[in-house]
């Protein structure tokens, strides 16, 4: 149980107490997804799975609430992205910045 004294007006502690449960749910979802994703990509890095894995280009990790209230983790296949997005995803940083160094 999280509690903050006073009213909601001008009380940052009250707002933090109200936001705590959704923040914890989000943190747990991110951690569960990170455990399932066996690769390193962008800001998600793992010492036990260095580098990007091509097969993760076509999979998503989906977290949902199961019947008993726990988090269910599953993987889903992705659809082919539009060609414009695919081009951006496979471009170098220099290409994306217009050749400016």
């Amino acid at each position: 149980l999280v509690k903050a004294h006073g009213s909601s007006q001008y009380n940052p502690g009250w707002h933090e107490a109200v936001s705590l449960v959704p923040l914890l749910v989000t943190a747990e979802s991110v951690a569960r997804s990170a455990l399932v994703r066996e690769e390193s990509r962008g800001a998600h890095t793992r010492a036990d799975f260095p580098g990007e894995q091509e097969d993760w280009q076509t999979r998503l990790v989906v977290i949902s609430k199961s019947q008993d209230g726990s988090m269910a983790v599953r993987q889903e296949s992705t659809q082919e992205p539009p060609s414009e997005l695919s081009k951006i995803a496979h471009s170098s940083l220099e290409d994306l910045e217009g050749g400016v160094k």
Side-chain angles (χ1 to χ4, degrees), residues 31-44:
R32 287 180 183 273
S33 292
L35 286 173
V36 171
R37 192 171 186 99
E38 297 177 340
E39 72 161 352
S40 294
R41 184 181 301 269
H44 172 86

Side-chain angles (χ1 to χ4, degrees), residues 7-61:
S7 69
S8 62
Q9 283 186 312
Y10 309 110
N11 188 345
W14 187 88
H15 293 284
E16 286 181 22
V18 169
S19 299
L20 187 59
V21 172
L23 289 171
L24 290 172
V25 169
T26 301
E28 183 179 350
S29 297
V30 169
R32 287 180 183 273
S33 292
L35 286 173
V36 171
R37 192 171 186 99
E38 297 177 340
E39 72 161 352
S40 294
R41 184 181 301 269
H44 172 86
T45 57
R46 290 184 59 165
D48 54 344
F49 294 99
E52 296 178 357
Q53 303 296 319
E54 192 66 33
D55 60 324
W56 278 102
Q57 288 278 83
T58 60
R59 289 191 276 164
L60 298 173
V61 177

Side-chain angles (χ1 to χ4, degrees), residues 66-88:
S66 61
Q67 293 292 332
D68 65 359
S70 64
M71 289 187 182
V73 181
R74 72 180 188 280
Q75 295 180 34
E76 291 185 3
S77 296
T78 61
Q79 298 177 5
E80 188 68 30
S83 60
E84 301 84 27
L85 293 179
S86 185
K87 182 180 176 185
I88 292 169

